[in-house]
Amino acid sequence: MEEGKLIDSTYAIFGRYLMVKMPAELDHHNATSLRIKTDEFIMDNKVDHVVFDFEDTAFMDSSGIGVLMGRYKKLSLFGGTVSAIHVKPRIRKIMEMSGVNSFVEIISETGRK
Amino acid sequence: MKKENYELKDVFWVDDAACSNAMELIMDARSENEALARMAVSAFIMECNPTIEELEDVKTAISEAVTNSIVHGYPEGRKGKVFLRAYIKDNTLYTEVEDKGVGIPDISKAMQPLFTTRPQDERSGMGFAFMEAFTDRMSVESRPGEGTKVCMEKIFGKEITDV
Ligand SMILES: Nc1ncnc2c1ncn2[C@@H]1O[C@H](COP(=O)(O)OP(=O)(O)O)[C@@H](O)[C@H]1O
Ligand SMILES: [Mg+2]
């Protein structure tokens, strides 16, 4: 944590990790700007791993799946990873129904820190 | 605002006179209105005392349908209206989401999970799959060049006997 570079309330960089705080409602409207900005951070900071933090997120539809898959497709080309933390049951269900969880690790609350 | 579309009989399986409540929301095809559509329907179904799960199901299904009209019905920022109509009858929600956009050439292909015509926009192709999964009945009518109408039905209070 000490070495973390907090860019703003949404983005923080820890070495080669980018942490992204997801919005309260992750729909097509919010996804559009989020993916553009996330990709900028990935490019500018030589990030390999992106962790999406769903702590504040109460709603997500298939547009959110697109954001996760899109980042996975880009990062996995160079051996990077995408993961999701603080995922509520409803959103986990959406992720599992789409199969995105086979590409994006859902880190469980009680699991690793 | 023209009322030509405000016809209960438009919902092909609803007996119009029997509805306890009805609403119509006509929105510009702008992504800001996706949240508006979810909020409007959430408030509208409160009289049915939905469970949190049922409320989330409806919000997701409506979000998918309205987003499709905005993203696919009126592509590349084309101007147009999205019509959201909702009716309540016997603790059941009937909704229609309609656009006067480009239409769908092959509906059964479009409804296949993971099928999308806009991979460049990072669409996941899961919209119709979620609409089907989260409602009790869904149907799509569309004509290329004329538009698309998605009808969905959600029955509240059946989840105890359901599983
Ligand atoms: N209202 C609409 N107007 C035109 N085409 C549509 C509409 N809704 C859906 N489609 C077509 O159906 C496809 C599948 O839709 P969906 O399952 O929601 O996936 P996605 O939105 O991620 O592409 C879309 O890619 C599009 O080609
Ligand atoms: Mg869709």
Side-chain angles (χ1 to χ4, degrees), chain A residues 44-61:
Chain A
D44 296 350
N45 297 281
K46 307 210 176 4
V47 164
D48 296 313
H49 309 283
V50 176
V51 181
F52 288 109
D53 185 348
F54 283 82
E55 186 164 32
D56 298 338
T57 310
F59 177 85
M60 183 183 87
D61 64 16

Side-chain angles (χ1 to χ4, degrees), chain B residues 36-54:
Chain B
L36 174 68
R38 291 194 298 272
M39 273 190 270
V41 174
S42 300
F44 185 70
I45 62 174
M46 280 307 140
E47 69 173 82
C48 299
N49 294 314
T51 63
I52 292 169
E53 194 69 14
E54 288 167 341

Side-chain angles (χ1 to χ4, degrees), chain A residues 25 27-29 35 58-63 65-67 70-71 74 90 93-94 97-98, chain B residues 31-32 34 38 53 56-57 59-60 63-64 67 71 121-124 126-127 130 133-134:
Chain A
E25 306 215 305
D27 60 3
H28 157 254
H29 177 70
R35 71 181 163 105
F59 177 85
M60 183 183 87
D61 64 16
S62 72
S63 302
I65 304 296
V67 172
R71 305 293 75 63
K74 290 199 167 135
R90 170 75 193 185
K93 182 174 164 183
I94 300 260
M97 283 170 72
S98 70
Chain B
S31 64
E32 288 85 346
E34 293 153 8
R38 291 194 298 272
E53 194 69 14
E56 289 303 316
D57 289 352
K59 278 167 69 177
T60 310
S63 196
E64 296 295 351
T67 300
V71 172
D121 291 346
E122 298 190 347
R123 306 306 308 159
S124 62
M126 288 301 292
F130 287 163
F134 294 135

Side-chain angles (χ1 to χ4, degrees), chain B residues 10-106:
Chain B
D10 274 355
V11 187
F12 51 91
W13 61 79
V14 177
D15 170 12
D16 44 320
C19 291
S20 64
N21 201 3
M23 62 155 268
E24 179 176 33
L25 182 61
I26 304 174
M27 300 164 278
D28 282 339
R30 295 178 49 184
S31 64
E32 288 85 346
N33 289 329
E34 293 153 8
L36 174 68
R38 291 194 298 272
M39 273 190 270
V41 174
S42 300
F44 185 70
I45 62 174
M46 280 307 140
E47 69 173 82
C48 299
N49 294 314
T51 63
I52 292 169
E53 194 69 14
E54 288 167 341
L55 176 63
E56 289 303 316
D57 289 352
V58 169
K59 278 167 69 177
T60 310
I62 290 296
S63 196
E64 296 295 351
V66 170
T67 300
N68 276 357
S69 287
I70 293 169
V71 172
H72 304 295
Y74 303 109
E76 336 300 348
R78 261 179 57 167
K79 284 197 174 13
K81 302 283 182 201
V82 179
F83 303 80
L84 165 63
R85 303 181 199 93
Y87 313 93
I88 290 169
K89 186 196 159 213
D90 297 336
N91 231 35
T92 301
L93 171 73
Y94 300 85
T95 63
E96 287 184 358
V97 176
E98 184 176 3
D99 63 67
K100 309 282 185 192
V102 299
I104 303 174
D106 184 341

